[in-house]
Amino acid sequence: MIDAWRRTLFLLLVLAQTAAGTWGMIWVLPYHGTRPVEIAILATFIPLYTFITAGSWMAIFGFLMRRVSGRGDRHGLMRRYADQWPQAPLASTAVIMPIYHEDVDRVYQGLRATLISLLETGESDPFEFFLLSDSRDPEIWLAEQAAWRSLVDEFGLEGQLHYRRRRVNLKAKTGNVSDFLRRWGSDFRYFVVLDADSVMSGEALTTLVRLMECDSRVGMIQTVPRLFNARSAFARMQQFVTHLYGPLFTDGLAALQRSEAVFWGHNAIIRTEPFMRHCGLPRMRGVGLWRGAVLSHDFLEASLMSRAGYQVWLETGIPGSFEESPPSLDDELIRDRRWSKGNLQHLRHLLAEPGLRVAHRFALLNGIFAYVASPVWFLFLVFTTIEVARFKLGDIDYFPDPDALYPAWPQWHPEWALLLVTSTLVTLFLPKVLAVLEVLIFDRERLRGFGSAPRLVQGFFLENLFSVLLAPVRMLAHSIFVVTALLNVTVRWAGQNRGNELSWRTAMARHVPGAVLSLAWTGGAYLIDPYFFFWTLPITVPLVLAVPVTVGLSRFTLGQRWRRKGIWLTPPEAGRDDPVLERFQPDAVAPRPGGESGWLLWTLLDPTQWRQAAAHAPRRGGLARRAAQRVAEDWITAGPDGMPGQRAARVLDDIEAMRRVHEYAWRGEVADPWGRLAERYARHVCTGAEAAVGRPGISTDESGGYAS
């Protein structure tokens, strides 16, 4: 009943404002929407205006919910079981972190902070951690194993912290999670999914398990990850946005979705048995874009869980859930390219998948239009340009209907245009203003997390300035992504950049074409009508400035300078957030190989490392064994640096191949490249020139099992 009246009220408000905005646009158009181009303008305006109106009203719902019910919905999961969940028992839970060519230091830092926080609760026994790697580069996965082994030794987590690397990484992240569930899912009642940049406190993990124990009908609980550890100016801006505006939007979303919320793919807990039974995603059998593996799996998995009769909750009241932001707009757009294609795939499920709840169909539709909105906006600009050009440069047909007795006079209503622009700006910026007022008036404790009232207001205006500058850049990029997705252009996905700034050359290659296009458009607008030229400037100026703006915002030095000045300060930086962030050490580094070369050569040359790797080498025979031994002979002939790493790593597949390389290097003459390499390693070990090195870990065995 609560769901129905909330959603009905929300829908009525959105439709009423959209109708008013559409009526205003009709009166702005000279022929009031009766000509083909004007119909096209309305066809693009209506969904765009509906989209921004829905977002605005959702934030207003969140603001009212927070003011009326306190922080969080009184009908939410935590409030419903407020007397039960603190005393609920814990149950067996796996915490899994799928990774693929990620920054090993960042994975090590985040996992270490999470482990320390959980161990400090004294309730870590029901939890086991799994680092699930799909990495193909041997230097990366050997580094991953070293980091894992170091954590096991540091905290005494033998048998509780595991590492597994798949030899064949089918279906990317979904395949990795599915592989884990097939092997070990039955051992755990729940599992928590983390991303490579996730950090969760021990209190958050235990709270999630206890909430699940309170109600067997709950299949998923999604937390709200807040951004932290932002170093570049762009990342700091995104971090400021999530901490200031985020609570209104997430509380509004949770209040409307209720027990039919969505899963965001990480920082969430899942009931294992129904997920394994009901949430498998088979390969699509359509054509083009809708054929093959599903790229964006999370929304669909939540909808399938709900279809099976289980509840899915977005719980905004659980602190201690964090993730990081990409350091630049371009890194964000690289991620968006994959997401845009994955979300467009949902069109098939939106139309054809039976039994999905209405709330989840709206969530799928919203996810699709989040990217489709950009090409729709682009078309809106094209159609308005055509309309102005036709009216200014073409002959006006006063008698489009030959049987008409009176001419059709075009009518201009500038007051309607001004009113429509004003209402659009209010719709866009009202949620942000409410978020600022909430902190300034109602939440003085949160205000201290943003530094002070002047700093908060300064950050608010600065964020809106850069948001206006970046919006057209995102629009053009997302438009290209949607077109390439519809053409089924392959999207490749690897580890995200988390520590590098954007170069001028890369920025120019990506943004100069958009600047040229915008200059041509605004130049044409000036020739058509100088008055229309001024209307194009809010789009053209950001696209022309895209290169310096994106490069500048990617700079870590600028981000740190602004942090010292208190610009875009947020609660995690002010020491007013979860203690787990005190355990996160951004300067901590994973173990490093000794000597000058990388992990692969260190593993084969160092006697201790070699014995560990040899003890866990796959027990293979026949063709696989002979192939590994051929690689060993070819590698010896080519020299230490003469073979690609991925092929050279096949030596690790056979103990005799490993022995051959190891013994050849240490018995070789000094004039031989392998002998010189062994001599350098011996000199390094004997002199202790570098810090002691952690053990690189253990490779997977033939059956794909893991070692701990």
Side-chain angles (χ1 to χ4, degrees):
M1 188 64 181
I2 296 173
D3 301 359
W5 79 257
R6 285 182 180 179
R7 294 171 185 172
T8 301
L9 177 61
F10 173 77
L11 188 60
L12 290 175
L13 291 170
V14 171
L15 291 178
Q17 185 174 344
T18 301
T22 303
W23 182 256
M25 175 57 80
I26 289 173
W27 279 99
V28 167
L29 296 172
Y31 293 102
H32 307 317
T34 59
R35 302 296 175 86
V37 176
E38 294 186 354
I39 293 173
I41 291 174
L42 288 173
T44 53
F45 171 82
I46 293 173
L48 287 173
Y49 196 79
T50 304
F51 187 64
I52 64 171
T53 299
S56 181
W57 278 111
M58 185 175 67
I60 293 172
F61 262 63
F63 176 79
L64 296 175
M65 194 67 59
R66 291 167 66 82
R67 300 277 50 84
V68 172
S69 304
R71 292 185 179 180
D73 185 0
R74 67 171 179 264
H75 298 289
L77 204 59
M78 288 193 75
R79 298 282 288 272
R80 181 192 303 174
Y81 295 109
D83 296 332
Q84 300 179 35
W85 72 259
Q87 286 77 40
L90 296 174
S92 58
T93 304
V95 182
I96 67 174
M97 180 183 283
I99 54 176
Y100 174 53
H101 286 183
E102 295 286 351
D103 181 338
V104 177
D105 284 339
R106 176 58 189 81
V107 172
Y108 172 82
Q109 293 159 5
L111 189 56
R112 187 176 184 276
T114 301
L115 286 168
I116 293 175
S117 181
L118 180 62
L119 290 170
E120 287 177 343
T121 66
E123 299 180 304
S124 62
D125 289 346
F127 294 87
E128 290 189 35
F129 286 75
F130 291 81
L131 196 59
L132 306 175
S133 174
D134 267 344
S135 299
R136 316 318 301 158
D137 186 335
E139 292 301 323
I140 295 177
W141 60 258
L142 286 170
E144 293 168 356
Q145 290 179 339
W148 156 71
R149 190 68 248 179
S150 175
L151 290 172
V152 170
D153 292 343
E154 180 180 1
F155 299 110
L157 294 176
E158 203 77 39
Q160 199 170 357
L161 172 59
H162 314 280
Y163 175 91
R164 162 165 168 77
R165 185 180 74 88
R166 288 198 299 169
R167 293 182 176 273
V168 181
N169 53 345
L170 295 175
K171 299 176 66 175
K173 179 180 177 179
T174 55
N176 201 354
V177 174
S178 298
D179 181 82
F180 162 78
L181 291 173
R182 282 193 299 269
R183 296 176 183 276
W184 301 290
S186 59
D187 296 337
F188 302 97
R189 186 177 301 177
Y190 311 113
F191 68 100
V192 176
V193 186
L194 301 181
D195 264 0
D197 62 351
S198 295
V199 170
M200 287 193 75
S201 68
E203 183 182 355
L205 290 171
T206 56
T207 299
L208 286 171
V209 176
R210 288 190 164 104
L211 278 174
M212 295 289 276
E213 285 289 284
C214 288
D215 194 336
S216 61
R217 298 171 300 172
V218 177
M220 293 179 176
I221 303 176
Q222 173 67 61
T223 66
V224 180
R226 303 290 184 211
L227 297 184
F228 83 112
N229 194 38
R231 292 177 291 166
S232 70
F234 176 82
R236 290 186 51 73
M237 180 178 70
Q238 298 297 93
Q239 181 172 282
F240 179 81
V241 166
T242 63
H243 284 272
L244 179 58
Y245 312 140
L248 265 65
F249 286 94
T250 53
D251 280 335
L253 181 62
L256 291 169
Q257 290 182 332
R258 297 265 296 142
S259 61
E260 297 173 351
V262 294
F263 170 44
W264 295 340
H266 59 93
N267 291 48
I269 190 170
I270 301 171
R271 194 176 295 271
T272 308
E273 190 275 334
F275 185 87
M276 294 175 64
R277 180 182 297 181
H278 302 290
C279 298
L281 298 176
R283 294 180 67 84
M284 296 181 294
R285 300 184 181 277
V287 296
L289 169 67
W290 297 281
R291 182 177 182 85
V294 176
L295 296 179
S296 294
H297 57 93
D298 35 22
F299 277 28
L300 286 178
E301 289 165 345
S303 63
L304 295 176
M305 180 71 80
S306 184
R307 184 176 69 176
Y310 290 85
Q311 298 176 3
V312 180
W313 288 88
L314 171 62
E315 186 48 67
T316 64
I318 300 177
S321 179
F322 300 95
E323 63 176 336
E324 286 187 320
S325 167
S328 71
L329 174 67
D330 289 67
D331 290 303
E332 178 190 278
L333 293 176
I334 291 172
R335 182 183 65 183
D336 282 350
R337 183 179 182 185
R338 180 178 184 270
W339 286 0
S340 64
K341 185 172 183 179
N343 283 17
L344 285 172
Q345 288 179 329
H346 292 168
L347 185 62
R348 173 183 178 273
H349 301 89
L350 180 67
L351 299 176
E353 193 69 32
L356 300 187
R357 304 291 177 87
V358 173
H360 284 114
R361 293 194 188 276
F362 271 105
L364 294 175
L365 180 62
N366 182 74
I368 294 169
F369 199 75
Y371 292 100
V372 173
S374 290
V376 172
W377 182 14
F378 185 86
L379 290 175
F380 176 78
L381 298 175
V382 170
F383 292 142
T384 53
T385 303
I386 293 173
E387 174 73 354
V388 173
R390 185 183 65 82
F391 190 81
K392 291 294 182 178
L393 304 179
D395 294 329
I396 300 176
D397 183 6
Y398 293 99
F399 292 92
D401 183 357
D403 298 327
L405 298 177
Y406 303 99
W409 300 99
Q411 301 177 26
W412 294 101
H413 295 279
E415 69 280 4
W416 280 96
L418 183 61
L419 183 62
L420 183 61
V421 170
T422 302
S423 71
T424 303
L425 292 176
V426 169
T427 301
L428 285 170
F429 291 103
L430 179 60
K432 295 185 175 184
V433 173
L434 289 176
V436 173
L437 293 177
E438 181 189 52
V439 175
L440 291 175
I441 299 174
F442 301 107
D443 201 337
R444 306 298 294 183
E445 179 64 27
R446 271 183 75 206
L447 176 60
R448 285 190 284 270
F450 293 100
S452 64
R455 287 302 187 197
L456 175 64
V457 174
Q458 178 191 39
F460 167 77
F461 283 107
L462 193 61
E463 183 276 324
N464 279 283
L465 170 63
F466 281 109
S467 293
V468 169
L469 290 174
L470 296 179
V473 183
R474 284 191 174 100
M475 178 268 291
L476 194 58
H478 288 175
S479 298
I480 295 172
F481 297 162
V482 170
V483 172
T484 56
L486 293 174
L487 295 175
N488 200 29
V489 176
T490 300
V491 176
R492 300 197 180 278
W493 184 250
Q496 299 180 51
N497 170 43
R498 305 189 193 278
N500 297 319
E501 298 176 341
L502 180 66
S503 69
W504 283 95
R505 176 175 298 187
T506 300
M508 291 178 67
R510 290 173 178 166
H511 301 304
V512 165
V516 173
L517 177 64
S518 65
L519 287 173
W521 175 56
T522 200
Y526 184 80
L527 295 175
I528 294 170
D529 183 357
Y531 182 72
F532 182 56
F533 162 79
F534 290 104
W535 283 92
T536 66
L537 292 182
I539 304 296
T540 300
V541 171
L543 290 173
V544 171
L545 297 177
V547 173
V549 169
T550 55
V551 170
L553 287 177
S554 77
R555 294 296 182 249
F556 290 84
T557 52
L558 179 62
Q560 296 311 304
R561 190 183 311 130
W562 283 1
R563 176 179 179 177
R564 289 192 295 270
K565 292 181 178 180
I567 299 175
W568 289 333
L569 191 68
T570 54
E573 299 165 326
R576 297 184 177 276
D577 223 312
D578 198 282
V580 67
L581 298 186
E582 299 175 6
R583 308 292 179 261
F584 182 84
Q585 300 176 2
D587 297 326
V589 295
R592 296 287 189 266
E596 304 170 2
S597 301
W599 275 112
L600 182 56
L601 288 171
W602 174 251
T603 301
L604 290 172
L605 266 69
D606 181 77
T608 301
Q609 308 295 347
W610 181 86
R611 283 194 297 270
Q612 291 179 4
H616 293 83
R619 301 297 185 262
R620 293 188 171 189
L623 294 176
R625 183 176 184 181
R626 289 195 293 273
Q629 293 174 1
R630 281 198 302 272
V631 170
E633 296 299 330
D634 292 344
W635 195 8
I636 289 173
T637 302
D641 301 322
M643 181 173 288
Q646 290 193 8
R647 183 164 185 255
R650 295 187 63 184
V651 170
L652 299 178
D653 288 345
D654 179 69
I655 188 172
E656 293 303 324
M658 295 171 60
R659 187 191 309 277
R660 172 72 173 132
V661 175
H662 177 77
E663 293 181 350
Y664 183 88
W666 284 107
R667 294 176 180 176
E669 300 294 332
V670 176
D672 186 89
W674 286 97
R676 290 197 300 270
L677 180 65
E679 184 182 26
R680 289 200 303 270
Y681 270 88
R683 189 181 305 116
H684 162 77
V685 172
C686 291
T687 60
E690 295 181 19
V693 179
R695 289 152 45 194
I698 300 168
S699 59
T700 52
D701 59 25
E702 182 178 13
S703 64
Y706 66 95
S708 57

